[in-house]
Amino acid sequence: MNVRPVTAADREWIADAVSTAFGSVRSVSHGELIEDASLLDGFAVEHDGRPIGCALVNLVGTEAELVALVTTYRGAGAGGALLEAVVERAKREKWTRLW
């Protein structure tokens, strides 16, 4: 399994995954409407070279909200690996709050 930052090339499959998981790409974070959560910064995870999940974060100042955690391949540990990547980034960048 490979966890890496999201790139522009990931946006289409992320939009599909988020829409399938939540019924829409719209979300609310920090009390504000996000028209397309699939465009947020975050991490993608791959298994055997194909994408199987993402973690998308809305960063406002030094606080961040994990807006979406989506995996399409159950039982591989993708969700845990994505969450670990987000937490490590929070520590590295000294976020004051992550929820």
Side-chain angles (χ1 to χ4, degrees):
M1 200 166 0
N2 177 42
V3 178
R4 58 173 176 73
V6 167
T7 67
D10 296 315
R11 296 305 178 184
E12 186 175 341
W13 71 261
I14 287 175
D16 288 342
V18 169
S19 183
T20 298
F22 301 110
S24 173
V25 293
R26 296 176 74 178
S27 185
V28 174
S29 175
H30 294 278
E32 305 233 353
L33 177 65
I34 297 173
E35 286 293 335
D36 190 346
S38 72
L39 299 176
L40 292 171
D41 191 21
F43 294 93
V45 62
E46 300 171 329
H47 180 69
D48 291 334
R50 57 184 187 89
I52 61 167
C54 63
L56 304 173
V57 178
N58 186 26
L59 183 62
V60 176
T62 61
E63 296 187 354
E65 180 176 356
L66 179 60
V67 174
L69 180 66
V70 177
T71 61
T72 59
Y73 188 82
R74 306 272 184 224
L82 287 164
L83 187 55
E84 185 177 320
V86 171
V87 170
E88 287 303 313
R89 180 177 172 197
K91 290 177 182 177
R92 185 175 60 252
E93 296 182 6
K94 297 181 176 32
W95 296 348
T96 57
R97 183 174 180 208
L98 170 63
W99 74 97

